[in-house]
Amino acid sequence: MYNKENLQEKLFSLADEKYKDFHSKLIPTVDEAVVMGVRTPVLRKFANEISKTGDAEQFLNDLPHKYYEENNLHAFLLERIANYDELIERLDEFLPFVDNWATCDMMRPKILKSNRKRLLEDIRRWIKSPYVYEVRYAINCLMTYFLDEDFDEEFYNIVIGVNNDDYYIFMAKAWYFATALAKQYSSAVKVLEERRLDKKTHNKTIQKAVESYRLSSEEKAYLKTLKC
């Protein structure tokens, strides 16, 4: 049966101290004291094991978690939920507790892709959240699922309308538009030409796009002329 202490002991047994030292530097919003140092493939394997037991649901109900790896384990368990309504309920419970970009960005439940019409409604909710990583997750979902066959230029307005100067939201916005330039160049470049982004996001978008291998040298050269 599920026991928080036993689960934490198991996770500590999977930890790698050198990896902890390295990875902690990548997630500055997380106190190093709550980072165990479990590598992602190892944690995913453990998530697969626990998902086949009755302990998974009890663990998902046991919020908030103490350790970074517990939050990542939670994220990996959410990825395995095959019912859209259940997943959204669980995401609504969990997203307010997410405290770093890595946990936020690793959640890619497959069921979201096959329910994009409904997902768009939830994105519109999350984008208005007071929680930083709920907003970042909404932007990530727009970038992941709505820059291809379901693309609409109107979605740019959703991201442009985010009025939050948190660093991790700022970076998500720049990442979104840099990806839009790679996938929907003709419309995305207009956003830059028309100066629809704040100066910081505008320039960071160009920087990230120029660093991308998905744009041509000609496109990159033109983007550099748009810096402000």
Side-chain angles (χ1 to χ4, degrees), residues 78 80-89 111 115 118:
L78 292 186
R80 290 163 169 76
I81 296 177
N83 179 278
Y84 184 83
D85 291 322
E86 179 185 354
L87 173 62
I88 295 303
E89 182 178 350
I111 194 68
N115 286 269
R118 298 181 65 188

Side-chain angles (χ1 to χ4, degrees), residues 148-161:
D148 295 300
E149 63 267 26
D150 289 327
F151 170 72
D152 190 312
E153 288 186 38
E154 185 270 333
F155 300 152
Y156 292 156
N157 295 329
I158 298 177
V159 180
I160 292 171

Side-chain angles (χ1 to χ4, degrees), residues 118-136:
R118 298 181 65 188
L119 174 59
L120 190 56
E121 297 174 5
D122 291 305
I123 287 172
R124 293 183 188 278
R125 283 194 303 110
W126 294 331
I127 208 83
K128 298 175 183 178
S129 172
Y131 298 105
V132 166
Y133 295 98
E134 193 162 351
V135 176
R136 183 178 170 100

